[in-house]
Every structure is written in structure tokens, then in C-alpha cells.
């Protein structure tokens, strides 16, 4: 692989404010370096000490890291614990009456649940599952709206040692079937319908359809939560959640499991080929969730109101909604709706209403809200905020600055977090009381995370040059395997070319002179233009730095002379440009990119749309954009597309 060139220059630096440093869980760079040096001096001992300090063990472990069968690493294997116990039971004496979850429904209704109440709900569902014959190691599919009950379902599975696999409620029946079939699930937990943006989403109907698509004989029961009261078809294996749980005991003895017992399977990359079932452990995953909450989100359980906007169908909703915050005894917001319903200021209204202190969302949501203007956030009191975070993809510097100035009032640190479904928890991110931030950089690895940028043979690349992002040592929260596919696990994440024990992230990145990491996009998103390998993220950042542009996505298409041509999809802050105006703005934007990062990066085509094609989780569907750029028919599953109508807009090239 040729060297990936870094063509974006960003020089702004924002050191943490003294008052934030003074109260931070990791206070100052000296504290960050001390933790990092401790990990380097005794790697296994570093993690073992933290595991003993932060997790309540039923049976203590005697072995920390087992590398005997690398890359199938094991952490704390002979220790026994229960994740639900660590999230609920251990708080009952000290935080039983504290609010655990604040549920903000799509229509604005608010429900608050204390730790005692949440514990009761989890125990009753756990008992209900056991009454249906669900045992340790059985798989349970959770196909739910974003709700209190989704968290209860996950915690109930963890309580009895069942392995949950949450399927995002926007996925199609076909996607659901593939996951049921691969996991051989015994039970499906769903709802009659979900509510999203004022519209009902027929979840039970999708389950019914999925169960007719192939061999789903493994599914013995379907538990249905009554969310809307909408009409549903009923079969002999269906039963209502409330009828199953209302007569169950309000306590449930946790099932103690090995630290290496699978906590959950989460399927990823299902839009092409067979979905990958990422399998996470119990102990190591919980440790990663807890430490990153403390270090990255500077968690203060007594005073924080924490809000992560991710759906539980994604890894962010697992780690930073269902497990990490509860394990620390936090109060958190669970939000059912979308940022723009019933009005475009909904996010800011929720922050003001619940006095949110920590707000964690996706760059794509931020860019969409930039398009609607700064006057909307100004209508709401955001003074409760003390920390902002981003997740899901790199945030371009101009969106970072808007987030910092308009939402954070220039006073809130921003934690730009790099991590993946496979890593389980944050890997590279500023610790807000220690690390100076740079717009667009995820900055430095967390203590104990041995990240590097290397070439295709595993050798380090020079500062400022792009390469493959890797993690050189195993870490507790990483995936253990792919469900029923160990060969694919080994070849995908620990390729022989890198020695077979180094984790390959699949992202390209570079490090600057200060050792800060800059994510340049997925390896398969790198463009080869006239012999230059360019990261799409940097071209997108240049486009978005133009005052006219709210959001941009860049892909490549084959070009006879240059190898690949740069195709840019642009969302303007105003109305979509058409006709002569589109030609004028496209020419202006090409010149802008040429000035910002060089003529080589100028887009050959610019296409304007009201929005970009995104999944309902906010991810830009880049495979779809590549197909459009090449003029190919759309054959992939677009059931998770938020707004299918924009595809026709994006097919119009402005030459």
C-alpha cells in the first residue's frame, strides 16, 4: 500500500481550563502520563489493578492476561462476576432513590426511574425469561424502540447469563432474520410499535415477517412490549411483556459467570455479505466501559446528568447508555425521538429541560443542526453543559468549532472519541482535564491503549504521513471473536501481514509532531488520485470549512487518466442549489478546496442535496454514494435509510 498523504493543516489548540483541570478525575498531563507509564511498565498488572479496583467480583481472578492462544486473548478468565449486579445491586444501599434513567418520549412525555425501580423491573423480566426456559448461554434478540424497556431487556439478559443481541429498530425484517438465524436465538423481545418523529414504526410486524423467512425454529417465544397499543397479529409463541412480568418476584439472584463469558453479540457490516457477529466478553468489556466513563467523560455520579443520544442498537448505546453510566451510578437521559421533531431545536430543549451536563452525539447530527442555524440553540439555556463529546466518525474542524462556540459557549471541553464496535470502548480521546484539544483530532490514546500508525508491513510511519491505524497490545474491552466464525475474526482483525497479534482497525490515520492522532477515514475510503493516496475526511473538512457548506461527503469513482476522480456530495446551509446557481457554487467550492489543501484534491464532480443518505443512527451510507457516483443501480438494502427521496437529487452531477 502506498503512503497515504495528509493534506489537511489545523493549528488551533485549546488547552483545558484551569477550573476544569482542578476538578477532573484525571487532572493534568502529569496524571495522564503517570497512568500511561504505569501501563508500559507492567501492562497486565496495570489492567488487573484497575479491574480489582472498579469491578465487584463474586470470585476474584488470579490470572490477568492469557496470550496462550493469541489473538484469542483472555482477560481475568477465572474471575466470576455479573454485569447487572455491578450496574444495579451494588448501588441500592447508596443510590437506591437516585434517578437512574430519565426517559424523554418522542412526544415529550417524561418518565423517571430510580435505581431501586430499575432493579425491580430488571429482576421481574429476568425471572420471566427464566420461567420461559432461558438459561445461561442462550441467545436473546432485542428488537426494541429506544426506551427504558430496551435497557431493562439488556440488563435482564446479563442478569441470568443469557447472551443478548440487540438489533436496531430501524433494520428491515431481512436484516433481523439474518441475525436471528446466525445467533440461533431462543427468544425475541420486541414492541408492538416504536415512535419516531411522530410516526409509528411497526416492530412486531417486522418480527412476524422475519420469522417466516427461513429456519427460525430456534425461536420459542416472542415477548412484546406494549408501547403504542397499535394492532398486531398474534401467534401461539407470542406473549405480552406486562403479562409475563407482573406476577414475577421483584428480586432475582444474579447468575455468576466467568469474566470471559460472552455478554453480547452485536452484528455489524450487514449491508453487504454475511453480517459479522462481534462477540464481547463480560469482565473486560465492563472494565473498558467504566474506565472510559471516568477518564473520558469525567463522570461525576452525584452531580452529572449525562446524555448519550445513541440508540441501544449500536455499540455506543451499549457501552455509553446501557452499561457504562449505570455501572458508575450515573443519572442519564434516554431519548426516543429525533433531533428535529416536533421542532428543529429538540436537542437543545431536552438539554435545557433536564439540565444535562454531559452531551455525547454524532458529528453528522451536529452538521445537520448547523444547517438549521445558530439561533435555535440560542433560544435555550445550555448553561448546565460542562462537557461535550462526539462519536461515530471524525468531526471536521469547522463543525468542531461550531459545537465548541455555539453549544458549549466556548467553555466546555470536547472529547472527540475514536473507537469501534470491535473495541467496545473509547480507545483514543482527549481526557478533558489533561489533554489540550485540536479541532478534528481525537488526540491521544487512553492510558494502556498502545495505538500506532504503521505501513502494510507493520513498521511505523513518519510523523505527518498517513498509514494504517493499529493497536499493538491486547486490551480488556476488545472483541473476543466473531460469533461462529473464528477464521474471519483472525483474518479481518489480526492479519498475518502485521504479525498475527496486532489489531488492525481498518482506519487510516496520521500522527502529528505532538503525537496526536488524526483519523483520515476508512482504509477502503482512501482515494488514489494521480498516484496520490488521499483520505476522504480531509477533503470533506476542506469543503465544510467554506461558509456556505453545512455537510459534505466525498467518494471516488474510476477515472481513465487519474485512476480515481473525486466526487463530492454537498449540503448547503441554505436551500439546495440548482441550475446556474449550482454551477456557480460548485466552481467556487472547487477553487476553495484547491486553495485550502491543493489542486490535487479538487472535486471533479459536485452534487447538491437537501441531506446526505444516512442510516437512522446518523451514519453516512458511503457505499450508496459510491454506487451513485459510478452510475450503478442501487441493489443494497436501504431499509435503514432515513430519507430515500434524496437519492434522486444526488444523482444530478454539476459539471
Amino acid at each position: 500500500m502506498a503512503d497515504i498523504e495528509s493534506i489537511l493543516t489545523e493549528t488551533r489548540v485549546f488547552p483545558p481550563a484551569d477550573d476544569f483541570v482542578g476538578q477532573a478525575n484525571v487532572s493534568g498531563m502529569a496524571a495522564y502520563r503517570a497512568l500511561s507509564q504505569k501501563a508500559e511498565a507492567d501492562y497486565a498488572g496495570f489492567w488487573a489493578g484497575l479491574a480489582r479496583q472498579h469491578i465487584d467480583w463474586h470470585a476474584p481472578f488470579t490470572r490477568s492476561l492469557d496470550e496462550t492462544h493469541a489473538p484469542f486473548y483472555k482477560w481475568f478468565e477465572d474471575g466470576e462476576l455479573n454485569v447487572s449486579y455491578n450496574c444495579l445491586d451494588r448501588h441500592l444501599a447508596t443510590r437506591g432513590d437516585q434517578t437512574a434513567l430519565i426517559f424523554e418520549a418522542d412526544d415529550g412525555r417524561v418518565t423517571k426511574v430510580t435505581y431501586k425501580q430499575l432493579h425491580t423491573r430488571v429482576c421481574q423480566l429476568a425471572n420471566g425469561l427464566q420461567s420461559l426456559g432461558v438459561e445461561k448461554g442462550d441467545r436473546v434478540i432485542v428488537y426494541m424502540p429506544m426506551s427504558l424497556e430496551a435497557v431493562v431487556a439488556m440488563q435482564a439478559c446479563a442478569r441470568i447469563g443469557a447472551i443478548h443481541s440487540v438489533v436496531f429498530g430501524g433494520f428491515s425484517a431481512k436484516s433481523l432474520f439474518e441475525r436471528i438465524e446466525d445467533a440461533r436465538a431462543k427468544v425475541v423481545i420486541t414492541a408492538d410499535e416504536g415512535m419516531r418523529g411522530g410516526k409509528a414504526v411497526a416492530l412486531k410486524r417486522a418480527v412476524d415477517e422475519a420469522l417466516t423467512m427461513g429456519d427460525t425454529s430456534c425461536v420459542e417465544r416472542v415477548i412484546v412490549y406494549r408501547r403504542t397499543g397499535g394492532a398486531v397479529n398474534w401467534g401461539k409463541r407470542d406473549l405480552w411483556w406486562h403479562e409475563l412480568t407482573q406476577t414475577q418476584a421483584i428480586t432475582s439472584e444474579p447468575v455468576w459467570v466467568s469474566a470471559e463469558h460472552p455478554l453480547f453479540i452485536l452484528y455489524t457490516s450487514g449491508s453487504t455479505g454475511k453480517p459479522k457477529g462481534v462477540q464481547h466478553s463480560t469482565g473486560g468489556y465492563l472494565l473498558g466501559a467504566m474506565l472510559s466513563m471516568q477518564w473520558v467523560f469525567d463522570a461525576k455520579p452525584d452531580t452529572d446528568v449525562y446524555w448519550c443520544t445513541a440508540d441501544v442498537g449500536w455499540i455506543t448505546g451499549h457501552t455509553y447508555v446501557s452499561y457504562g453510566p449505570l455501572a458508575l451510578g450515573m443519572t442519564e437521559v434516554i431519548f426516543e425521538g429525533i433531533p428535529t421533531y416536533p421542532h428543529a431545536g429538540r436537542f437543545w430543549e431536552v438539554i435545557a429541560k433536564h439540565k444535562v451536563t454531559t452531551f455525547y452525539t454524532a458529528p453528522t447530527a451536529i452538521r445537520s443542526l448547523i444547517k438549521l442555524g445558530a439561533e435555535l440553540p440560542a433560544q435555550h439555556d445550555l448553561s448546565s453543559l460542562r462537557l461535550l463529546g462526539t462519536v461515530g466518525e471524525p468531526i471536521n474542524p469547522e463543525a468542531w468549532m461550531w459545537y465548541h462556540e455555539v453549544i458549549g459557549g466556548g467553555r466546555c471541553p470536547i472529547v472527540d472519541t475514536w473507537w469501534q464496535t470491535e473495541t467496545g470502548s473509547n480507545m483514543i480521546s482527549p481526557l478533558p482535564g489533561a489533554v489540550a484539544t485540536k479541532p478534528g483530532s481525537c488526540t491521544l490514546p487512553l492510558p494502556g491503549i498502545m495505538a500506532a500508525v504503521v505501513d502494510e508491513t507493520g513498521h511505523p510511519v513518519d510523523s505527518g504521513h498517513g498509514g494504517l491505524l493499529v493497536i499493538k497490545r491486547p486490551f480488556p474491552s476488545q472483541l473476543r471473536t466473531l460469533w461462529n466464525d473464528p477464521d474471519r475474526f483472525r483474518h479481518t482483525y489480526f492479519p498475518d501481514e502485521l504479525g498475527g497479534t496486532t489489531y488492525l482497525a481498518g482506519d487510516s490515520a496520521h500522527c502529528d509532531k505532538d503525537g496526536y492522532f488524526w483519523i483520515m477515514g476508512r482504509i477502503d475510503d482512501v482515494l488514489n488520485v494521480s498516484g496520490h493516496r488521499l483520505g476522504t475526511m480531509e477533503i470533506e473538512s476542506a469543503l465544510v470549512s467554506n461558509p456556505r457548506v453545512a455537510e459534505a461527503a466525498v467518494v471516488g469513482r474510476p477515472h481513465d487518466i487519474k485512476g480515481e476522480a473525486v466526487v463530492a456530495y454537498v449540503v448547503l446551509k441554505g436551500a439546495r442549489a440548482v441550475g446556474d446557481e449550482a454551477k456557480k457554487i460548485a466552481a467556487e467550492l472547487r477553487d476553495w478546496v484547491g486553495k485550502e489543501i491543493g489542486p490535487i484534491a479538487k472535486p471533479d464532480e459536485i452534487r447538491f442535496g437537501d441531506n446526505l443518505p444516512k442510516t437512522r443512527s446518523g451514519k453516512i451510507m458511503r457505499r450508496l454514494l459510491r454506487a451513485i457516483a459510478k452510475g450503478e443501480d442501487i441493489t443494497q438494502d436501504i431499509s435503514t435509510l432515513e430519507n430515500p427521496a434524496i437519492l434522486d437529487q444526488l444523482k444530478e452531477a454539476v459539471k
Side-chain angles (χ1 to χ4, degrees):
M1 188 190 84
D3 195 20
I4 304 168
E5 298 182 37
S6 174
I7 49 180
L8 180 72
T9 302
E10 176 57 59
T11 57
R12 291 168 289 193
V13 180
F14 295 83
D18 290 344
D19 59 344
F20 197 100
V21 174
Q23 60 81 63
N25 293 338
V26 179
S27 179
M29 275 302 288
Y32 166 80
R33 291 195 185 99
L35 283 168
S36 299
Q37 288 165 2
K38 190 173 181 181
E40 290 179 10
D42 178 8
Y43 192 71
F46 170 78
W47 291 113
L50 291 168
R52 293 188 180 102
Q53 178 184 347
H54 293 283
I55 293 174
D56 280 7
W57 295 90
H58 179 67
F61 60 89
T62 63
R63 300 191 301 274
S64 179
L65 170 61
D66 181 355
E67 301 181 79
T68 308
H69 303 291
F72 299 94
Y73 300 108
K74 295 178 180 178
W75 286 90
F76 325 125
E77 183 186 16
D78 61 340
E80 290 187 353
L81 73 159
N82 182 278
V83 165
S84 177
Y85 179 91
N86 274 271
C87 290
L88 301 175
D89 301 57
R90 68 167 168 176
H91 301 313
L92 294 180
T94 55
R95 301 185 182 277
D97 296 323
Q98 176 186 313
T99 299
L101 305 176
I102 303 169
F103 176 58
E104 168 103 9
D106 189 59
D107 63 4
R109 283 182 292 179
V110 174
T111 306
K112 296 184 179 181
V113 176
T114 66
Y115 273 91
K116 281 181 182 174
Q117 292 167 334
L118 183 58
H119 178 262
T120 295
R121 292 191 187 196
V122 169
C123 288
Q124 287 187 302
L125 183 59
N127 290 332
L129 289 169
Q130 286 181 319
S131 75
L132 300 177
V134 179
E135 300 176 342
K136 173 182 171 182
D138 286 340
R139 276 78 64 205
V140 175
I141 294 285
V142 178
Y143 184 63
M144 294 282 287
M146 187 60 181
S147 58
L148 297 175
E149 287 71 24
V151 175
V152 169
M154 297 166 75
Q155 288 279 343
C157 290
R159 192 164 195 88
I160 63 174
I163 304 166
H164 64 67
S165 184
V166 183
V167 180
F168 173 57
F171 273 154
S172 66
K174 180 176 182 293
S175 296
L176 177 60
F177 160 70
E178 290 172 345
R179 289 153 174 77
I180 291 171
E181 181 185 48
D182 191 67
R184 304 308 295 164
K186 193 171 192 175
V187 168
V188 176
I189 303 177
T190 189
D192 51 2
E193 297 174 314
M195 291 301 300
R196 185 176 174 82
K199 299 174 183 175
V201 181
L203 297 174
K204 173 62 163 59
R205 187 193 309 162
V207 173
D208 292 344
E209 185 181 345
L211 293 179
T212 66
M213 287 185 167
D215 179 11
T216 56
S217 59
C218 54
V219 177
E220 297 177 4
R221 302 306 294 263
V222 177
I223 300 170
V224 186
Y225 168 65
R226 183 179 280 156
R227 166 64 183 89
T228 67
V232 293
N233 291 324
W234 209 249
K236 57 185 177 183
R237 60 180 161 189
D238 299 334
L239 70 163
W240 289 110
W241 174 306
H242 61 274
E243 292 181 354
L244 172 67
T245 59
Q246 63 191 3
T247 59
Q248 300 293 340
I250 63 171
T251 60
S252 167
E253 184 65 22
V255 173
W256 306 106
V257 299
S258 160
E260 281 299 318
H261 178 72
L263 178 63
F264 63 86
I265 307 163
L266 186 56
Y267 287 89
T268 185
S269 300
S271 56
T272 58
K274 180 187 175 187
K276 296 181 295 187
V278 172
Q279 178 183 317
H280 275 288
S281 72
T282 295
Y285 170 81
L286 180 63
L287 181 62
M290 294 179 69
L291 291 176
S292 52
M293 281 296 305
Q294 289 197 323
W295 292 348
V296 176
F297 296 103
D298 195 48
K300 301 289 193 293
D302 294 331
T303 53
D304 274 338
V305 177
Y306 167 88
W307 181 21
C308 170
T309 66
D311 191 280
V312 291
W314 312 109
I315 188 64
T316 306
H318 281 55
T319 308
Y320 299 112
V321 176
S322 293
Y323 290 118
L326 295 176
L328 264 61
M330 303 285 285
T331 296
E332 62 171 320
V333 173
I334 304 280
F335 179 58
E336 183 179 38
I338 61 175
T340 54
Y341 177 83
H343 55 80
R346 183 72 185 275
F347 265 14
W348 322 127
E349 178 185 75
V350 171
I351 290 171
K353 182 196 294 189
H354 301 298
K355 294 183 169 47
V356 171
T357 61
T358 305
F359 181 61
Y360 191 36
T361 196
T364 187
I366 296 166
R367 290 191 293 265
S368 297
L369 293 165
I370 288 172
K371 184 178 188 295
L372 301 172
E375 64 275 6
L376 281 170
Q379 295 170 13
H380 302 277
D381 180 6
L382 305 182
S383 62
S384 61
L385 288 170
R386 71 179 191 93
L387 181 65
L388 302 173
T390 66
V391 59
E393 60 184 345
I395 181 168
N396 51 283
E398 294 313 310
W400 193 102
M401 290 301 301
W402 186 90
Y403 197 32
H404 176 68
E405 293 170 356
V406 175
I407 306 307
R411 71 184 188 282
C412 298
I414 296 177
V415 289
D416 174 1
T417 61
W418 177 84
W419 62 298
Q420 302 173 308
T421 301
E422 293 86 349
T423 69
S425 60
N426 300 153
M427 295 287 101
I428 308 175
S429 170
L431 304 196
V435 178
T437 53
K438 300 181 183 182
S441 171
C442 52
T443 70
L444 301 174
L446 270 61
I449 302 303
M450 307 304 184
V453 179
V454 302
D455 63 20
E456 70 276 10
T457 64
H459 291 96
V461 300
D462 293 335
S463 172
H465 291 261
L468 308 174
L469 179 60
V470 300
I471 302 176
K472 304 185 83 169
R473 292 293 308 273
F475 50 95
S477 68
Q478 74 186 50
L479 80 165
R480 294 306 191 254
T481 188
L482 293 175
W483 183 256
N484 287 335
D485 204 345
D487 290 339
R488 188 179 184 188
F489 163 77
R490 183 193 293 272
H491 296 145
T492 302
Y493 302 109
F494 296 91
D496 292 338
E497 294 84 350
L498 297 179
T501 59
T502 295
Y503 174 79
L504 176 65
D507 283 332
S508 57
H510 73 90
C511 284
D512 65 18
K513 60 182 176 56
D514 298 318
Y516 278 37
F517 284 75
W518 299 77
I519 307 301
M520 301 166 67
R522 298 294 293 170
I523 293 169
D524 55 7
D525 287 338
V526 173
L527 307 180
N528 195 334
V529 181
S530 299
H532 299 268
R533 290 179 61 82
L534 309 177
T536 55
M537 169 61 191
E538 299 192 325
I539 304 174
E540 292 166 6
S541 292
L543 284 163
V544 176
S545 68
N546 184 283
R548 289 183 183 270
V549 177
E551 191 165 20
V554 169
V555 299
R557 65 163 172 77
H559 190 281
D560 290 342
I561 298 172
K562 296 193 291 185
E564 278 189 288
V566 178
V567 180
Y569 299 87
V570 171
V571 179
L572 299 175
K573 289 179 180 174
R576 178 170 64 97
V578 295
D580 290 340
E581 183 190 17
K583 292 180 180 178
K584 177 186 172 187
I585 295 176
E588 176 189 319
L589 293 178
R590 285 193 198 94
D591 290 343
W592 176 274
V593 172
K595 181 181 175 183
E596 288 288 302
I597 55 179
I600 191 69
K602 280 187 178 183
D604 295 75
E605 289 181 16
I606 293 181
R607 304 175 183 223
F608 295 101
D610 292 329
N611 299 105
L612 296 175
K614 298 170 188 170
T615 66
R616 293 186 182 118
S617 71
K619 290 267 191 177
I620 296 171
M621 299 181 75
R622 295 177 187 275
R623 282 191 286 263
L624 197 58
L625 293 178
R626 281 194 285 268
I628 293 171
K630 295 174 184 177
E632 298 172 349
D633 292 334
I634 305 300
T635 58
Q636 62 181 287
D637 181 5
I638 60 170
S639 63
T640 60
L641 190 58
E642 185 73 34
N643 180 10
I646 60 172
L647 297 183
D648 289 336
Q649 295 176 3
L650 298 176
K651 290 175 182 177
E652 300 175 17
V654 180
K655 299 282 178 84

